[in-house]
Amino acid sequence: MSPEVSNQSLLFLIVFVLVPLTLSYYYQLGMSKDIVWSSIRGTIQLFAIGYILTYLFDLNAFIGIPLMVGIMILVASFHAWNKGKELPNAFVVIFLGLLVVEGSVLALWLVFDMVNFKPSEVIPMSGMVIGNSMVAMGLALERMKSEFTENSGRLMAALALGAQPKQASHLIIRKTLNASLLPNVDSLKTIGLVQLPGMMTGLILGGVAPVMAIKYQLVISLSIFSSVSLSAMIVTLAMYRYFYNENQQLIESAEEMRSRTND
Amino acid sequence: MENYLFDFHGVSKDILNDLNFTIKKNEKIILFGPSGAGKSSALFLFNRLRDPDSGKIYYKGEPIQSCEISQLRKNIGLVLQAPNLFPGTVLDNLKYGPSLFDEWEDSRAEELMDLIQLPENYLHRDVDQLSGGEQQRVSLGRTLANKPEVLLLDEPTSALDVRTSEEIEGVLEKLIEVHQLTMVMVTHNLRQAKRLGERGIFMKEGKIVEDGNISRLLMEPESKALQEFLQD
């Protein structure tokens, strides 16, 4: 029997919001407005998506899946783009990257019969893949920017020795990929030991047998691992070149980078 | 034109104003002047780490814009103010440049360590374990590994203490003598300028104020700007 949270019980969730709110007030963190707003916004968003999903799940798979996955990719692209707005063509790279990642993962799910082509299965699982890929792309962009700034001397030294931008950036690319993959490698190591993953918990609470829930969790965890790797790789390899101009010179200022976009 | 290694006419917005000079093969030039004079900016134009906004720079009679960039940078070696070594061992750093052109031979390691006057057992030492002076020697060796025709030095000892700085000068002095390199060095250290240079170019606010024998410039400055600079 699956459990059900009543509306009255949901109202008591306000207690969980009162804890950080009290902390913010007591320590004068100035976050009270943010805490209230994000809690209200999150609740509205979740209810809205609940109703939208109910509608989408009833739609034909060939309409519902592309529609919802398309919206997810678009929103995720805007979100990840915020981390590297000053880089030319960042939005296009992120959008196409997410499309490739989601397309590849979905194709593998369907070919190996891991998931049925039904909105109720594809949409939630795609959401997890796209969401994690979005975070990985944003992290990769931020890390790459800071690595380029911190290592500008080394990059100049490499260029001065005759290295081409790709060769000079090798160290940065390696560090960026490493930083983007590390959280996933770590979470895979402790999966099931430290915490039960969200999807598995949800299935178990929904009444699915634990072994069956684990199978689904394995599919999604390894899919996320693969898509995060692919996302970080796509964005890193596509974007490092924008830190150089056509004469293999390092671009050091955001202004110069932006002026290249307008060329 | 053939006598000249470099023929330099460059203007860089906000930094350099109509800079004109030529450099002959084997010349030892010191660029000096107050901070913000554009000395390092001028140096970066030689191997195209920067380009002038207008003007032309010729290398062996050919505009440097038409030279293949990687090859040009290999021939015109640059040692920066900070060592900026790559993570790894001394050997990893020494072979970096030649490996880019598939020209590294293991036998060169010994020769390079001799040039920079570091013991051979340092080859497999992690660069993080080296002192500042040792790191700057490795940086010099890394540039020399490319067998450059011209050596550009951007205040290579400015971050080092007097004793270490003098040791590096000794390495450079021997190097210049033995290998007959063309050298352009930016330095604030006038004693060092006299020890290593033959020709001096005094710059101020992106312009060349005086150009001539370094000893003469330091002993008998003609311009008011240089006289004031030497008094400071």
Side-chain angles (χ1 to χ4, degrees):
Chain A
M1 189 186 75
S2 60
E4 196 177 310
V5 184
S6 69
N7 290 339
Q8 285 94 321
S9 305
L10 271 183
L11 275 176
F12 287 109
L13 278 176
I14 203 156
V15 176
F16 291 114
V17 182
L18 285 176
V19 175
L21 209 56
T22 314
L23 262 179
S24 171
Y25 178 76
Y26 189 77
Y27 287 104
Q28 296 177 319
L29 302 179
M31 289 178 69
S32 309
K33 210 172 137 188
D34 271 350
I35 292 168
V36 173
W37 171 235
S38 58
S39 308
I40 294 173
R41 188 180 149 163
T43 310
I44 295 171
Q45 274 172 199
L46 278 177
F47 268 108
I49 203 68
Y51 285 111
I52 292 169
L53 284 178
T54 313
Y55 170 73
L56 283 172
F57 288 174
D58 292 337
L59 275 181
N60 178 314
F62 287 95
I63 298 169
I65 292 173
L67 183 72
M68 194 57 200
V69 168
I71 292 171
M72 284 172 173
I73 290 179
L74 200 63
V75 174
S77 302
F78 272 109
H79 197 80
W81 181 55
N82 278 324
K83 310 278 182 192
K85 265 183 180 171
E86 62 276 50
L87 296 170
N89 302 325
F91 184 81
V92 178
V93 168
I94 293 166
F95 182 79
L96 293 178
L98 286 174
L99 214 58
V100 168
V101 169
E102 166 62 13
S104 322
V105 171
L106 183 57
L108 286 174
W109 283 343
L110 298 175
V111 166
F112 296 118
D113 201 22
M114 293 170 185
V115 171
N116 295 312
F117 193 66
K118 290 200 302 199
S120 57
E121 290 187 32
V122 172
I123 291 173
M125 290 184 70
S126 295
M128 294 171 87
V129 164
I130 294 167
N132 280 281
S133 301
M134 170 190 82
V135 172
M137 284 182 169
L139 266 179
L141 279 175
E142 276 192 325
R143 182 69 184 225
M144 193 158 57
K145 283 191 297 182
S146 68
E147 289 290 347
F148 265 95
T149 310
E150 277 169 31
N151 289 288
S152 62
R154 275 191 184 134
L155 292 164
M156 289 270 264
L159 291 174
L161 288 166
Q164 309 231 333
K166 189 176 180 181
Q167 294 165 319
S169 310
H170 185 76
L171 172 73
I172 309 269
I173 292 173
R174 218 175 54 195
K175 278 181 151 184
T176 304
L177 286 177
N178 194 285
S180 309
L181 296 188
L182 213 58
N184 264 274
V185 174
D186 281 345
S187 78
L188 263 184
K189 273 185 204 161
T190 54
I191 199 167
L193 294 175
V194 178
Q195 59 168 355
L196 294 180
M199 184 186 193
M200 187 176 145
T201 312
L203 285 172
I204 293 172
L205 282 174
V208 173
V211 175
M212 183 57 74
I214 283 167
K215 283 182 184 171
Y216 267 102
Q217 186 60 51
L218 264 179
V219 170
I220 196 66
S221 290
L222 294 177
S223 301
I224 287 172
F225 194 30
S226 151
S227 55
V228 160
S229 321
L230 198 57
S231 302
M233 196 182 75
I234 289 173
V235 87
T236 309
L237 293 182
M239 298 312 294
Y240 81 84
R241 64 196 74 221
Y242 292 110
F243 289 85
Y244 302 88
N245 66 19
E246 63 281 7
N247 294 324
Q248 300 181 24
Q249 294 160 346
L250 196 62
I251 296 178
E252 284 177 282
S253 69
E255 288 75 28
E256 198 183 342
M257 206 168 256
R258 268 193 290 273
S259 74
R260 283 200 70 207
T261 329
N262 304 326
D263 282 350
Chain B
M1 188 71 76
E2 278 165 16
N3 294 327
Y4 299 127
L5 197 57
F6 275 107
D7 192 14
F8 193 109
H9 310 277
V11 175
S12 259
K13 209 163 40 192
D14 303 330
I15 308 167
L16 301 173
N17 293 307
D18 199 18
L19 215 57
N20 289 293
F21 62 98
T22 50
I23 296 174
K24 289 180 190 160
K25 203 167 190 303
N26 298 336
E27 270 196 308
K28 321 289 174 231
I29 296 177
I30 302 292
L31 288 179
F32 68 112
S35 299
K39 309 176 296 284
S40 297
S41 304
L43 209 61
F44 289 171
L45 300 181
F46 286 110
N47 66 352
R48 296 202 66 198
L49 277 181
R50 290 275 173 270
D51 279 329
D53 294 317
S54 61
K56 279 242 154 63
I57 300 161
Y58 293 90
Y59 175 55
K60 294 178 176 174
E62 202 185 328
I64 61 167
Q65 274 83 356
S66 58
C67 301
E68 205 276 313
I69 294 181
S70 295
Q71 202 60 44
L72 178 88
R73 289 176 179 162
K74 177 176 177 277
N75 290 341
I76 304 168
L78 170 71
V79 178
L80 295 160
Q81 196 170 349
N84 292 306
L85 297 180
F86 308 129
T89 63
V90 171
L91 181 62
D92 293 335
N93 276 271
L94 294 181
K95 66 202 282 195
Y96 183 88
S99 301
L100 297 169
F101 302 91
D102 287 325
E103 287 175 3
W104 175 254
E105 285 163 20
D106 288 335
S107 58
R108 294 212 55 217
E110 195 184 332
E111 172 205 337
L112 286 164
M113 293 300 271
D114 190 43
L115 272 179
I116 57 175
Q117 295 170 24
L118 277 181
E120 223 181 299
N121 60 5
Y122 270 49
L123 270 174
H124 298 285
R125 198 167 281 197
D126 198 296
V127 291
D128 288 339
Q129 294 172 358
L130 305 181
S131 68
E134 288 166 344
Q135 288 194 351
Q136 195 56 298
R137 284 175 200 225
V138 176
S139 165
L140 182 63
R142 182 176 64 176
T143 303
L144 294 172
N146 265 346
K147 297 183 179 167
E149 194 174 1
V150 182
L151 188 60
L152 308 173
L153 300 156
D154 185 18
E155 301 188 53
T157 61
S158 64
L160 305 173
D161 60 64
V162 179
R163 210 181 116 230
T164 318
S165 170
E166 282 176 3
E167 281 171 15
I168 301 274
E169 279 169 31
V171 173
L172 282 169
E173 200 170 32
K174 191 179 159 202
L175 194 77
I176 293 163
E177 222 175 82
V178 176
H179 290 266
Q180 290 294 302
L181 287 169
T182 306
M183 180 196 83
V184 185
M185 181 180 190
V186 171
T187 184
H188 276 107
N189 184 334
L190 300 179
R191 187 196 46 74
Q192 187 177 72
K194 209 169 163 186
R195 181 175 176 186
L196 298 174
E198 291 166 352
R199 177 181 163 195
I201 297 179
F202 173 67
M203 290 177 68
K204 191 180 177 188
E205 291 166 2
K207 281 183 186 160
I208 294 177
V209 182
E210 279 197 57
D211 181 349
N213 179 281
I214 185 75
S215 302
R216 187 197 62 75
L217 289 190
L218 298 180
M219 298 298 288
E220 302 157 29
E222 284 174 2
S223 64
K224 200 167 174 243
L226 182 52
Q227 285 167 11
E228 282 172 2
F229 175 75
L230 293 175
Q231 274 166 13
D232 284 344

mmCIF file of all heavy atoms in Angstrom, chain B residues 3-6 21-30 149-151 176 180-185 196-201 211-213:
data_model
loop_
_atom_site.group_PDB
_atom_site.id
_atom_site.type_symbol
_atom_site.label_atom_id
_atom_site.label_comp_id
_atom_site.label_asym_id
_atom_site.label_seq_id
_atom_site.Cartn_x
_atom_site.Cartn_y
_atom_site.Cartn_z
ATOM 1 N N ASN B 3 70.682 42.863 -42.532
ATOM 2 C CA ASN B 3 71.548 42.898 -41.353
ATOM 3 C C ASN B 3 70.750 42.862 -40.063
ATOM 4 O O ASN B 3 71.273 42.588 -39.010
ATOM 5 C CB ASN B 3 72.394 44.181 -41.353
ATOM 6 C CG ASN B 3 73.357 44.182 -42.509
ATOM 7 O OD1 ASN B 3 73.823 43.119 -42.900
ATOM 8 N ND2 ASN B 3 73.614 45.342 -43.059
ATOM 9 N N TYR B 4 69.492 43.219 -40.182
ATOM 10 C CA TYR B 4 68.669 43.335 -38.996
ATOM 11 C C TYR B 4 67.874 42.076 -38.720
ATOM 12 O O TYR B 4 67.315 41.471 -39.625
ATOM 13 C CB TYR B 4 67.685 44.514 -39.146
ATOM 14 C CG TYR B 4 68.377 45.835 -39.320
ATOM 15 C CD1 TYR B 4 68.054 46.664 -40.390
ATOM 16 C CD2 TYR B 4 69.352 46.249 -38.419
ATOM 17 C CE1 TYR B 4 68.683 47.875 -40.558
ATOM 18 C CE2 TYR B 4 69.995 47.466 -38.587
ATOM 19 C CZ TYR B 4 69.659 48.273 -39.657
ATOM 20 O OH TYR B 4 70.293 49.463 -39.811
ATOM 21 N N LEU B 5 67.842 41.726 -37.459
ATOM 22 C CA LEU B 5 67.016 40.592 -37.076
ATOM 23 C C LEU B 5 65.579 41.078 -36.933
ATOM 24 O O LEU B 5 64.631 40.453 -37.375
ATOM 25 C CB LEU B 5 67.537 40.033 -35.746
ATOM 26 C CG LEU B 5 67.095 38.641 -35.370
ATOM 27 C CD1 LEU B 5 67.477 37.653 -36.445
ATOM 28 C CD2 LEU B 5 67.734 38.245 -34.055
ATOM 29 N N PHE B 6 65.444 42.254 -36.309
ATOM 30 C CA PHE B 6 64.118 42.842 -36.127
ATOM 31 C C PHE B 6 64.094 44.263 -36.650
ATOM 32 O O PHE B 6 65.044 45.019 -36.470
ATOM 33 C CB PHE B 6 63.746 42.913 -34.642
ATOM 34 C CG PHE B 6 63.154 41.663 -34.110
ATOM 35 C CD1 PHE B 6 63.883 40.839 -33.273
ATOM 36 C CD2 PHE B 6 61.853 41.289 -34.430
ATOM 37 C CE1 PHE B 6 63.353 39.686 -32.762
ATOM 38 C CE2 PHE B 6 61.304 40.138 -33.925
ATOM 39 C CZ PHE B 6 62.050 39.329 -33.093
ATOM 40 N N PHE B 21 62.507 50.938 -33.872
ATOM 41 C CA PHE B 21 63.907 50.577 -33.684
ATOM 42 C C PHE B 21 64.231 49.268 -34.398
ATOM 43 O O PHE B 21 63.330 48.537 -34.807
ATOM 44 C CB PHE B 21 64.293 50.509 -32.195
ATOM 45 C CG PHE B 21 63.566 49.485 -31.374
ATOM 46 C CD1 PHE B 21 64.154 48.244 -31.102
ATOM 47 C CD2 PHE B 21 62.317 49.752 -30.853
ATOM 48 C CE1 PHE B 21 63.504 47.312 -30.319
ATOM 49 C CE2 PHE B 21 61.647 48.812 -30.066
ATOM 50 C CZ PHE B 21 62.244 47.594 -29.804
ATOM 51 N N THR B 22 65.515 49.029 -34.550
ATOM 52 C CA THR B 22 65.949 47.797 -35.208
ATOM 53 C C THR B 22 66.856 47.031 -34.248
ATOM 54 O O THR B 22 67.477 47.624 -33.366
ATOM 55 C CB THR B 22 66.746 48.096 -36.501
ATOM 56 O OG1 THR B 22 67.743 49.043 -36.168
ATOM 57 C CG2 THR B 22 65.851 48.632 -37.591
ATOM 58 N N ILE B 23 66.892 45.723 -34.434
ATOM 59 C CA ILE B 23 67.767 44.894 -33.599
ATOM 60 C C ILE B 23 68.639 44.052 -34.523
ATOM 61 O O ILE B 23 68.124 43.402 -35.442
ATOM 62 C CB ILE B 23 66.922 43.978 -32.678
ATOM 63 C CG1 ILE B 23 66.096 44.822 -31.704
ATOM 64 C CG2 ILE B 23 67.822 43.000 -31.919
ATOM 65 C CD1 ILE B 23 65.132 44.010 -30.867
ATOM 66 N N LYS B 24 69.938 44.110 -34.282
ATOM 67 C CA LYS B 24 70.844 43.305 -35.099
ATOM 68 C C LYS B 24 71.078 41.962 -34.428
ATOM 69 O O LYS B 24 70.914 41.824 -33.213
ATOM 70 C CB LYS B 24 72.180 44.040 -35.262
ATOM 71 C CG LYS B 24 72.106 45.255 -36.142
ATOM 72 C CD LYS B 24 73.483 45.898 -36.234
ATOM 73 C CE LYS B 24 73.387 47.247 -36.913
ATOM 74 N NZ LYS B 24 74.537 48.080 -36.618
ATOM 75 N N LYS B 25 71.505 41.002 -35.246
ATOM 76 C CA LYS B 25 71.819 39.665 -34.722
ATOM 77 C C LYS B 25 72.907 39.774 -33.639
ATOM 78 O O LYS B 25 73.824 40.586 -33.768
ATOM 79 C CB LYS B 25 72.326 38.800 -35.885
ATOM 80 C CG LYS B 25 72.183 37.327 -35.667
ATOM 81 C CD LYS B 25 72.410 36.600 -36.999
ATOM 82 C CE LYS B 25 72.064 35.167 -36.979
ATOM 83 N NZ LYS B 25 72.611 34.274 -36.101
ATOM 84 N N ASN B 26 72.725 38.983 -32.600
ATOM 85 C CA ASN B 26 73.671 38.915 -31.468
ATOM 86 C C ASN B 26 73.717 40.152 -30.575
ATOM 87 O O ASN B 26 74.583 40.253 -29.699
ATOM 88 C CB ASN B 26 75.108 38.610 -31.931
ATOM 89 C CG ASN B 26 75.197 37.266 -32.599
ATOM 90 O OD1 ASN B 26 74.368 36.403 -32.349
ATOM 91 N ND2 ASN B 26 76.172 37.097 -33.467
ATOM 92 N N GLU B 27 72.841 41.108 -30.801
ATOM 93 C CA GLU B 27 72.820 42.275 -29.924
ATOM 94 C C GLU B 27 72.292 41.896 -28.547
ATOM 95 O O GLU B 27 71.441 41.000 -28.420
ATOM 96 C CB GLU B 27 71.936 43.380 -30.511
ATOM 97 C CG GLU B 27 72.697 44.329 -31.420
ATOM 98 C CD GLU B 27 71.923 45.616 -31.683
ATOM 99 O OE1 GLU B 27 70.754 45.541 -32.088
ATOM 100 O OE2 GLU B 27 72.514 46.696 -31.486
ATOM 101 N N LYS B 28 72.811 42.573 -27.535
ATOM 102 C CA LYS B 28 72.323 42.355 -26.160
ATOM 103 C C LYS B 28 71.681 43.669 -25.723
ATOM 104 O O LYS B 28 72.389 44.635 -25.428
ATOM 105 C CB LYS B 28 73.474 42.019 -25.193
ATOM 106 C CG LYS B 28 74.550 41.110 -25.752
ATOM 107 C CD LYS B 28 74.073 39.707 -25.931
ATOM 108 C CE LYS B 28 75.136 38.866 -26.636
ATOM 109 N NZ LYS B 28 74.602 38.149 -27.789
ATOM 110 N N ILE B 29 70.369 43.677 -25.760
ATOM 111 C CA ILE B 29 69.645 44.933 -25.527
ATOM 112 C C ILE B 29 68.947 44.939 -24.179
ATOM 113 O O ILE B 29 68.339 43.942 -23.779
ATOM 114 C CB ILE B 29 68.617 45.152 -26.660
ATOM 115 C CG1 ILE B 29 69.380 45.327 -27.978
ATOM 116 C CG2 ILE B 29 67.735 46.362 -26.392
ATOM 117 C CD1 ILE B 29 68.502 45.483 -29.172
ATOM 118 N N ILE B 30 69.035 46.037 -23.507
ATOM 119 C CA ILE B 30 68.318 46.202 -22.240
ATOM 120 C C ILE B 30 67.225 47.250 -22.446
ATOM 121 O O ILE B 30 67.506 48.371 -22.884
ATOM 122 C CB ILE B 30 69.272 46.702 -21.121
ATOM 123 C CG1 ILE B 30 70.457 45.740 -20.924
ATOM 124 C CG2 ILE B 30 68.500 46.923 -19.828
ATOM 125 C CD1 ILE B 30 70.107 44.390 -20.357
ATOM 126 N N GLU B 149 66.590 31.499 -31.229
ATOM 127 C CA GLU B 149 67.588 32.364 -31.845
ATOM 128 C C GLU B 149 67.670 33.679 -31.057
ATOM 129 O O GLU B 149 68.693 34.319 -30.994
ATOM 130 C CB GLU B 149 67.118 32.648 -33.279
ATOM 131 C CG GLU B 149 68.165 33.230 -34.163
ATOM 132 C CD GLU B 149 67.664 33.334 -35.599
ATOM 133 O OE1 GLU B 149 66.507 32.972 -35.866
ATOM 134 O OE2 GLU B 149 68.440 33.794 -36.436
ATOM 135 N N VAL B 150 66.517 34.061 -30.497
ATOM 136 C CA VAL B 150 66.426 35.293 -29.722
ATOM 137 C C VAL B 150 65.902 34.936 -28.334
ATOM 138 O O VAL B 150 65.013 34.093 -28.210
ATOM 139 C CB VAL B 150 65.432 36.279 -30.379
ATOM 140 C CG1 VAL B 150 65.381 37.594 -29.601
ATOM 141 C CG2 VAL B 150 65.783 36.525 -31.828
ATOM 142 N N LEU B 151 66.442 35.559 -27.311
ATOM 143 C CA LEU B 151 65.970 35.308 -25.956
ATOM 144 C C LEU B 151 65.386 36.604 -25.394
ATOM 145 O O LEU B 151 66.087 37.603 -25.285
ATOM 146 C CB LEU B 151 67.131 34.816 -25.088
ATOM 147 C CG LEU B 151 66.790 34.323 -23.688
ATOM 148 C CD1 LEU B 151 65.826 33.151 -23.737
ATOM 149 C CD2 LEU B 151 68.057 33.908 -22.945
ATOM 150 N N ILE B 176 74.966 33.726 -22.652
ATOM 151 C CA ILE B 176 75.069 34.715 -23.730
ATOM 152 C C ILE B 176 76.442 34.604 -24.405
ATOM 153 O O ILE B 176 76.563 34.642 -25.624
ATOM 154 C CB ILE B 176 74.860 36.137 -23.153
ATOM 155 C CG1 ILE B 176 73.411 36.287 -22.667
ATOM 156 C CG2 ILE B 176 75.157 37.199 -24.192
ATOM 157 C CD1 ILE B 176 73.216 37.458 -21.723
ATOM 158 N N GLN B 180 76.036 32.877 -28.039
ATOM 159 C CA GLN B 180 75.896 33.998 -28.959
ATOM 160 C C GLN B 180 74.433 34.265 -29.331
ATOM 161 O O GLN B 180 74.075 34.402 -30.498
ATOM 162 C CB GLN B 180 76.711 33.732 -30.241
ATOM 163 C CG GLN B 180 78.213 33.785 -30.036
ATOM 164 C CD GLN B 180 78.694 35.189 -29.674
ATOM 165 O OE1 GLN B 180 78.478 36.132 -30.412
ATOM 166 N NE2 GLN B 180 79.306 35.324 -28.507
ATOM 167 N N LEU B 181 73.584 34.310 -28.280
ATOM 168 C CA LEU B 181 72.164 34.567 -28.523
ATOM 169 C C LEU B 181 71.914 36.067 -28.686
ATOM 170 O O LEU B 181 72.642 36.885 -28.131
ATOM 171 C CB LEU B 181 71.336 34.094 -27.323
ATOM 172 C CG LEU B 181 71.152 32.611 -27.102
ATOM 173 C CD1 LEU B 181 70.554 32.373 -25.723
ATOM 174 C CD2 LEU B 181 70.222 32.049 -28.154
ATOM 175 N N THR B 182 70.871 36.400 -29.425
ATOM 176 C CA THR B 182 70.399 37.777 -29.425
ATOM 177 C C THR B 182 69.510 37.899 -28.196
ATOM 178 O O THR B 182 68.670 37.023 -27.962
ATOM 179 C CB THR B 182 69.579 38.063 -30.704
ATOM 180 O OG1 THR B 182 70.374 37.708 -31.828
ATOM 181 C CG2 THR B 182 69.146 39.506 -30.777
ATOM 182 N N MET B 183 69.707 38.935 -27.411
ATOM 183 C CA MET B 183 68.941 39.030 -26.165
ATOM 184 C C MET B 183 68.280 40.404 -26.023
ATOM 185 O O MET B 183 68.889 41.425 -26.309
ATOM 186 C CB MET B 183 69.871 38.791 -24.974
ATOM 187 C CG MET B 183 69.184 38.875 -23.635
ATOM 188 S SD MET B 183 70.365 39.037 -22.271
ATOM 189 C CE MET B 183 70.666 40.796 -22.306
ATOM 190 N N VAL B 184 67.010 40.380 -25.643
ATOM 191 C CA VAL B 184 66.330 41.626 -25.277
ATOM 192 C C VAL B 184 65.794 41.415 -23.873
ATOM 193 O O VAL B 184 65.013 40.500 -23.631
ATOM 194 C CB VAL B 184 65.169 41.966 -26.238
ATOM 195 C CG1 VAL B 184 64.564 43.329 -25.886
ATOM 196 C CG2 VAL B 184 65.609 41.942 -27.688
ATOM 197 N N MET B 185 66.251 42.246 -22.956
ATOM 198 C CA MET B 185 65.896 42.037 -21.555
ATOM 199 C C MET B 185 65.266 43.292 -20.952
ATOM 200 O O MET B 185 65.768 44.394 -21.142
ATOM 201 C CB MET B 185 67.167 41.674 -20.787
ATOM 202 C CG MET B 185 66.953 41.410 -19.320
ATOM 203 S SD MET B 185 68.552 40.993 -18.596
ATOM 204 C CE MET B 185 68.051 40.446 -16.993
ATOM 205 N N LEU B 196 74.896 42.660 -18.102
ATOM 206 C CA LEU B 196 74.449 41.756 -19.171
ATOM 207 C C LEU B 196 74.240 42.423 -20.529
ATOM 208 O O LEU B 196 74.221 41.771 -21.560
ATOM 209 C CB LEU B 196 73.153 41.053 -18.757
ATOM 210 C CG LEU B 196 73.224 40.153 -17.521
ATOM 211 C CD1 LEU B 196 71.838 39.652 -17.139
ATOM 212 C CD2 LEU B 196 74.149 38.973 -17.756
ATOM 213 N N GLY B 197 74.024 43.746 -20.529
ATOM 214 C CA GLY B 197 73.667 44.397 -21.788
ATOM 215 C C GLY B 197 74.805 45.094 -22.480
ATOM 216 O O GLY B 197 75.850 45.383 -21.873
ATOM 217 N N GLU B 198 74.595 45.376 -23.778
ATOM 218 C CA GLU B 198 75.559 46.190 -24.543
ATOM 219 C C GLU B 198 74.870 47.487 -24.959
ATOM 220 O O GLU B 198 75.413 48.562 -24.832
ATOM 221 C CB GLU B 198 76.001 45.437 -25.805
ATOM 222 C CG GLU B 198 76.868 44.227 -25.516
ATOM 223 C CD GLU B 198 77.006 43.320 -26.722
ATOM 224 O OE1 GLU B 198 76.314 43.554 -27.744
ATOM 225 O OE2 GLU B 198 77.778 42.358 -26.635
ATOM 226 N N ARG B 199 73.637 47.300 -25.435
ATOM 227 C CA ARG B 199 72.877 48.461 -25.900
ATOM 228 C C ARG B 199 71.698 48.694 -24.957
ATOM 229 O O ARG B 199 71.053 47.733 -24.514
ATOM 230 C CB ARG B 199 72.368 48.174 -27.320
ATOM 231 C CG ARG B 199 71.498 49.247 -27.934
ATOM 232 C CD ARG B 199 71.074 48.784 -29.327
ATOM 233 N NE ARG B 199 69.952 49.549 -29.823
ATOM 234 C CZ ARG B 199 69.213 49.180 -30.846
ATOM 235 N NH1 ARG B 199 69.479 48.047 -31.485
ATOM 236 N NH2 ARG B 199 68.201 49.922 -31.255
ATOM 237 N N GLY B 200 71.414 49.917 -24.661
ATOM 238 C CA GLY B 200 70.295 50.223 -23.772
ATOM 239 C C GLY B 200 69.242 51.045 -24.493
ATOM 240 O O GLY B 200 69.570 51.907 -25.306
ATOM 241 N N ILE B 201 68.008 50.727 -24.224
ATOM 242 C CA ILE B 201 66.917 51.551 -24.765
ATOM 243 C C ILE B 201 66.112 52.035 -23.569
ATOM 244 O O ILE B 201 65.533 51.227 -22.843
ATOM 245 C CB ILE B 201 66.037 50.752 -25.753
ATOM 246 C CG1 ILE B 201 66.866 50.311 -26.966
ATOM 247 C CG2 ILE B 201 64.825 51.581 -26.193
ATOM 248 C CD1 ILE B 201 66.109 49.495 -27.986
ATOM 249 N N ASP B 211 68.609 55.835 -26.833
ATOM 250 C CA ASP B 211 69.002 54.528 -27.356
ATOM 251 C C ASP B 211 70.507 54.592 -27.619
ATOM 252 O O ASP B 211 70.969 55.454 -28.368
ATOM 253 C CB ASP B 211 68.206 54.277 -28.658
ATOM 254 C CG ASP B 211 68.501 52.927 -29.285
ATOM 255 O OD1 ASP B 211 69.449 52.255 -28.855
ATOM 256 O OD2 ASP B 211 67.782 52.545 -30.232
ATOM 257 N N GLY B 212 71.278 53.713 -26.995
ATOM 258 C CA GLY B 212 72.724 53.756 -27.229
ATOM 259 C C GLY B 212 73.448 52.754 -26.344
ATOM 260 O O GLY B 212 72.812 51.901 -25.712
ATOM 261 N N ASN B 213 74.746 52.901 -26.284
ATOM 262 C CA ASN B 213 75.549 52.007 -25.442
ATOM 263 C C ASN B 213 75.080 52.114 -23.986
ATOM 264 O O ASN B 213 74.961 53.224 -23.455
ATOM 265 C CB ASN B 213 77.028 52.422 -25.574
ATOM 266 C CG ASN B 213 77.906 51.549 -24.710
ATOM 267 O OD1 ASN B 213 77.993 51.743 -23.497
ATOM 268 N ND2 ASN B 213 78.540 50.580 -25.339
#
